[in-house]
Amino acid sequence: MAEEDITKMYEQLSESVAKEDYNNILNISQKILNKDPNEAEAMQCKIISLINLSKTKELEEFLENKKENNKIAYAYSLYVNGKYKESIEFLEKNKGSNGNIRNQIETLLAQNYNKLGNFKNSYEYYKNLILEKKEELENE
């Protein structure tokens, strides 16, 4: 019965995602997470709906204990709540990631530094991202 309930909730979630009904996405994903807190897809839906609904404090609170598995979302929640230094510290500790995640981390670092008025660091991150993208395009 419980398995069936989650299946039905995922069907409702899928319909809400198609309609971009973020309030309903938030409600359904929370119901799923109440039944199983480890449901990754429901967790992602909740994160995305909180971002789209501009519920930044709630997003930060939700991700506090999940930040290692949701690094970008957690750092973003700090950023949108004006906690630029905390966001930078967290991102600097997690810079070692590869590929797209590293680019996201560096973009968010540049944005944080920009908000703090540290334009030199912001410029360096943006410059590195542009040069890396240019190199990728040349290789293609």
Side-chain angles (χ1 to χ4, degrees):
M1 179 83 176
E3 185 86 24
E4 217 172 284
D5 291 342
I6 287 183
T7 301
K8 189 171 232 63
M9 283 189 268
Y10 268 115
E11 288 171 4
Q12 294 169 341
L13 185 61
S14 180
E15 291 171 12
S16 294
V17 167
K19 296 176 187 172
E20 296 183 18
D21 182 351
Y22 294 108
N23 284 311
N24 209 31
I25 293 168
L26 180 59
N27 292 333
I28 296 168
S29 60
Q30 186 58 57
K31 286 179 186 176
I32 295 169
L33 291 169
N34 288 342
K35 289 195 176 273
D36 185 352
N38 297 317
E39 283 286 329
E41 190 173 332
M43 192 175 304
Q44 285 303 111
C45 286
K46 181 172 180 171
I47 291 168
I48 291 167
S49 63
L50 288 170
I51 290 169
N52 280 286
L53 294 169
S54 298
K55 294 186 176 196
T56 57
K57 291 284 185 205
E58 201 175 321
L59 176 65
E60 183 180 345
E61 291 167 7
F62 176 66
L63 290 171
E64 180 61 36
N65 296 323
K66 300 164 184 56
K67 58 187 168 194
E68 290 308 312
N69 295 327
N70 298 284
K71 290 177 172 91
I72 301 299
Y74 178 70
Y76 177 76
S77 74
L78 293 172
Y79 169 79
V80 296
N81 284 311
K83 298 179 180 180
Y84 310 122
K85 289 180 182 179
E86 289 177 48
S87 182
I88 289 170
E89 288 172 16
F90 182 76
L91 290 165
E92 289 288 352
K93 284 191 291 189
N94 292 288
K95 252 185 4 183
S97 302
N98 291 328
N100 193 38
I101 291 175
R102 191 190 69 213
N103 288 345
Q104 291 173 355
I105 288 172
E106 291 184 1
T107 299
L108 197 45
L109 278 166
Q111 291 171 331
N112 276 290
Y113 280 119
N114 187 58
K115 288 288 189 179
L116 289 172
N118 187 335
F119 304 118
K120 181 181 178 201
N121 281 359
S122 181
Y123 170 78
E124 287 301 319
Y125 278 109
Y126 281 129
K127 182 177 84 172
N128 289 339
L129 287 164
I130 291 168
L131 291 174
E132 187 175 308
K133 188 52 90 177
K134 180 182 174 191
E135 189 176 303
E136 279 179 36
L137 291 172
E138 287 173 356
N139 287 340
E140 284 183 22

